[in-house]
Amino acid sequence: MTITEGPWAPYQPTAQDPWDLRKVAHLHRRAGFGATRAELQRDLRAGPTASGERLLNPRAPTTDEAQVLDSLRQGVVSSRDGERLKAWWLYRVLYDPDPLREKLTLFWHSHFATSNRKVNNVPLMLQQNELLRRHATGEFAALLNDVVGDPAMLLWLDGATSRRERPNENFAREFLELFTLGAGNYTEADIRQAARAFTGWVSSGGNRFGEAPAFRFDAAQFDNGQKTFLGRTGAWNAADVVRIALAQPRCAEFLCRKLYRGLVSEAAEPAAGLIRPLAEELRSNRYSIRHVVEVVLRSRHFYDRAARFQRIRCPVEFSAGLLRSLEVPRSDVRVLALAVACDRQGQELFSPPNVRGWVGGRTWLNSTTVLERGNWCNDVIWGNPDLGIPRYDPAAWAARHGVPAGRAAEALLELLLQDGVATEDRALILRTAGDGGGDRLRRALQLIVHCPRFQLG
């Protein structure tokens, strides 16, 4: 890290601003999908530096974990089943030892929003998802260059039909407006010139006997003439367009604003004074996503009380996070049911609503989706025989962690909300739990996850 002053300087615990459970839980909500009680206690003891390091440099998957993921992947490829594709990714969200990478993969999926409703090819959507995961914390230039020739993207934004004599402007427009610079920072002429530089991709087979479409670059179909793009003139190709776009200061600012919204707060537009230092870090470190994410996750600003509970959890964060935090036994988890729950809450993986991806924020909450969020919580706690979901046993969870039955509700509050519950609601939850016997603890847990603050991350 190179920022030593201001809000992005590293957080250091003090007597007045200690490292506590609230900060630990905040880190795990933003850099992953929530934490278990053991993870919270471990990182509370470890302190902010070691906790951040564990997320930024996670352990590698074990041989058994890698084999399970590979087996699930092969099942997706052989079945060509979109529902199994969603379930494969959600399994990774729940159990991959690198939750930050999965969180950023979800971020990039919305940034480069590509829908299987048009692509209509499960292996290609899987391939794009793996591309996003591979580059999730890498250099943004490498990610952009690979996205240019990604088969799913070529189908989604019509790049495979773009020829030197008739360039298709769809990808060029979204490249500038949604992927790099943002609206108002380029001209229609820049779109036309970029479109010329993105020509040359043609189909090279596939679609026979279930094969995925394949594409290759054909120099004969590429417009190699002079182009003037963002004030620079030359015989530019796609890599040149990427390079010139990244050289614009507005590109780093645009990307850092989106990262800020995803990692810190979506409650208000961040001030220029917050974004510019991050953008400078991004540009001076070869557009390293990992570097900027590390600056954010270690900063004073990130751990400020005003940053906590300032994002509405997306359906994947909300629904998978509940399973993960409660440590629902793996044998009791139904990832296909989890995928359906996310769909019903408004986030169908591999099918974002349009090229802008999911807007997020308050758009996640309406009369229908709030009801579906509640239904999912109820299914997890009380079970749903129609979905094959057994009821959750919070008393067994408490016993595994050595928590007396009479303190189980208090421990669940610490796990899921920390101080994010009103005094009167807390009293009601504890009264409902009583001695923690029978279904009383389930009813108390139901009250906890139905608290408005639980919608927030």
Side-chain angles (χ1 to χ4, degrees):
M1 287 182 58
T2 56
I3 299 180
T4 58
E5 297 181 350
W8 298 118
Y11 161 73
Q12 296 291 340
T14 65
Q16 294 74 35
D17 188 20
W19 177 247
D20 57 19
L21 189 65
R22 294 169 295 183
K23 291 186 175 69
V24 179
H26 173 70
L27 174 63
H28 281 279
R29 284 194 299 267
R30 297 298 172 80
F33 299 89
T36 65
R37 177 180 170 86
E39 289 168 337
L40 292 177
Q41 296 299 322
R42 175 200 66 194
D43 289 346
L44 181 62
R45 295 188 298 269
T49 301
S51 301
E53 187 68 19
R54 190 177 287 110
L55 284 162
L56 289 159
N57 296 290
R59 66 171 178 83
T62 66
T63 300
D64 287 346
E65 288 170 336
Q67 288 176 345
V68 169
L69 285 173
D70 184 63
S71 176
L72 292 172
R73 183 189 186 282
Q74 291 304 317
V76 172
V77 172
S78 61
S79 70
R80 305 294 204 268
D81 184 345
E83 294 305 307
R84 290 183 69 170
L85 176 63
K86 297 176 197 174
W88 166 81
W89 191 4
L90 288 167
Y91 183 92
R92 297 195 71 133
V93 166
L94 289 170
Y95 303 117
D96 196 287
D98 193 348
L100 176 59
R101 184 175 293 273
E102 293 308 312
K103 191 70 168 282
L104 290 172
T105 302
L106 186 60
F107 172 86
W108 294 123
H109 178 38
S110 187
H111 185 82
F112 295 107
T114 304
S115 175
N116 196 41
R117 295 184 188 279
K118 179 178 178 179
V119 175
N120 195 29
N121 191 285
V122 166
L124 293 190
M125 296 301 296
L126 171 63
Q127 180 179 320
Q128 186 188 82
N129 183 263
E130 292 177 327
L131 182 158
L132 299 178
R133 181 174 294 102
R134 186 166 62 251
H135 291 295
T137 60
E139 293 182 0
F140 189 50
L143 174 54
L144 279 174
N145 279 310
D146 276 4
V147 164
V148 167
D150 172 63
M153 184 62 75
L154 289 171
L155 290 172
W156 172 239
L157 291 179
D158 307 304
T161 63
S162 188
R163 302 289 184 267
R164 61 183 301 169
E165 69 277 4
R166 190 181 297 175
N168 188 299
E169 296 178 3
N170 286 356
F171 179 78
R173 186 176 299 278
E174 309 314 343
F175 174 87
L176 288 167
E177 180 179 350
L178 302 177
F179 301 167
T180 57
L181 296 182
N185 296 309
Y186 57 87
T187 67
E188 287 295 312
D190 290 323
I191 293 173
R192 291 191 292 271
Q193 298 299 293
R196 294 173 59 203
F198 289 131
T199 56
W201 290 96
V202 298
S203 176
S204 61
N207 276 335
R208 294 180 302 171
F209 308 111
E211 293 178 4
F215 302 92
R216 62 182 176 83
F217 184 79
D218 183 355
Q221 296 296 336
F222 171 66
D223 184 340
N224 61 1
Q226 293 282 301
K227 310 168 186 75
T228 299
F229 174 68
L230 295 173
R232 303 280 300 279
T233 300
W236 308 132
N237 59 22
D240 294 319
V241 167
V242 169
R243 173 177 53 80
I244 294 168
L246 292 182
Q248 309 300 306
R250 289 299 179 92
C251 181
E253 292 175 8
F254 174 75
L255 188 58
C256 285
R257 284 184 185 278
K258 292 195 75 169
L259 285 167
Y260 184 94
R261 184 177 173 87
L263 293 173
V264 183
S265 175
E266 60 187 13
E269 187 69 14
L274 275 174
I275 296 302
R276 283 177 187 148
L278 284 182
E280 290 170 6
E281 285 291 303
L282 186 61
R283 295 183 69 198
S284 63
N285 285 273
R286 296 176 56 85
Y287 272 85
S288 167
I289 300 304
R290 185 192 188 282
H291 177 77
V292 169
V293 168
E294 181 175 6
V295 169
V296 170
L297 296 183
R298 294 191 187 279
S299 69
R300 291 200 297 253
H301 183 70
F302 177 79
Y303 286 113
D304 190 277
R305 184 183 181 90
R308 295 204 295 268
F309 297 109
Q310 293 300 309
R311 290 187 65 255
I312 296 173
R313 296 188 196 187
C314 72
V316 171
E317 292 171 319
F318 179 85
S319 301
L322 179 65
L323 297 176
R324 198 180 187 290
S325 294
L326 290 178
E327 301 170 74
V328 173
R330 197 169 301 198
S331 59
D332 291 349
V333 171
R334 304 292 181 264
V335 283
L336 287 170
L338 172 59
V340 171
C342 293
D343 293 353
R344 290 175 174 173
Q345 293 168 35
Q347 189 172 34
E348 183 178 357
L349 293 178
F350 301 100
S351 295
N354 52 52
V355 293
R356 297 181 182 277
W358 291 283
V359 176
R362 292 185 179 276
T363 66
W364 289 128
L365 303 180
N366 57 49
S367 58
T368 298
T369 59
V370 168
L371 178 63
E372 291 295 347
R373 287 178 178 233
N375 287 342
W376 174 248
C377 292
N378 295 341
D379 287 345
V380 170
I381 295 169
W382 297 100
N384 185 327
D386 293 338
L387 299 176
I389 301 175
R391 60 169 43 191
Y392 179 68
D393 189 348
W397 171 87
R400 283 198 306 275
H401 289 285
V403 176
R407 280 205 66 252
E410 188 174 349
L412 286 166
L413 278 165
E414 290 177 351
L415 172 72
L416 298 172
L417 288 178
Q418 298 81 57
D419 62 344
V421 59
T423 302
E424 59 271 23
D425 291 337
R426 182 183 184 86
L428 174 61
I429 290 165
L430 295 179
R431 284 200 308 273
T432 300
D435 61 2
D439 282 339
R440 298 194 66 170
L441 192 53
R442 285 192 184 88
R443 287 195 288 271
L445 176 57
Q446 186 175 19
L447 289 174
I448 292 171
V449 298
H450 282 267
C451 284
R453 187 60 67 93
F454 190 67
Q455 305 289 337
L456 306 177

